[in-house]
Amino acid sequence: MGDDSQDRDLQSKVVQDRHGAPVQSPAAWMLIVIDTDAVMANYPDPSKDQHRPTSISQDKGFLIATGTKVESGQRTGEVRMAAVAGDTVYVSAISGSDNFEDAVLLYGIARIERTQVLSDFDYQNVQQSTVAPNSTLEPLPAQIATHTFEFHQASVIAAGTEGYDMKFALHIRDLNIGQLTLYGYFSWNLKITAQG
């Protein structure tokens, strides 16, 4: 009987939609697009040590932020969102070629200010269904396929502003062999403001 009451207590804490399905906390999705050509032109001798990445200027990255919570900060390194404790923030990064030519891999997000607005970011690597072209000749009708998605996830824990170092590895394609090789490790600053 005690187990039943515990189950009811847990169920009562799960937010559900009008059909009874669990509802995730409101989310903000942030995609950082790195201008890899500009990075290579301006940083010809980058760090090869992942623990000491080369810091790049703000204009080498572009932020695309979506979600009902995002208020401002598109295309900049500063994003403002109307978020409350428990809301979720997802961050990923990619090159301007969608990692087709040069490839960006976000490997760490480090707090650079003492104000703690978000929990620590956790790396997530999950498989989820998505759409894929029907064939190499025709995109439609789309097929449902499984894809591996990578992102870093944190929860809002307080109102305020906090700065982060977005650490990424840049791989460039060696045209002689057609394979990607490590060019260097970099960091790009992002400032996040959460206001309740």
Side-chain angles (χ1 to χ4, degrees), residues 173-193:
R173 195 167 299 281
D174 184 330
L175 298 179
N176 294 318
I177 59 174
Q179 296 298 317
L180 290 168
T181 58
L182 177 68
Y183 180 74
Y185 294 103
F186 298 90
S187 66
W188 182 78
N189 289 346
L190 174 65
K191 189 169 285 189
I192 297 174
T193 298

Side-chain angles (χ1 to χ4, degrees), residues 11 17 23 74 98 101 110 125 133 154 169:
Q11 289 172 357
D17 66 14
V23 175
Q74 297 283 9
D98 194 19
E101 293 179 348
N125 182 306

Side-chain angles (χ1 to χ4, degrees), residues 60-101:
K60 304 302 182 287
F62 304 88
L63 178 70
I64 301 169
T66 65
T68 57
K69 294 292 180 176
V70 177
E71 293 188 334
S72 64
Q74 297 283 9
R75 300 175 303 280
T76 73
E78 296 186 24
V79 65
R80 181 178 298 274
M81 55 189 179
V84 296
D87 289 350
T88 307
V89 176
Y90 301 93
V91 181
S92 58
I94 201 166
S95 71
S97 68
D98 194 19
N99 283 356
F100 181 77
E101 293 179 348

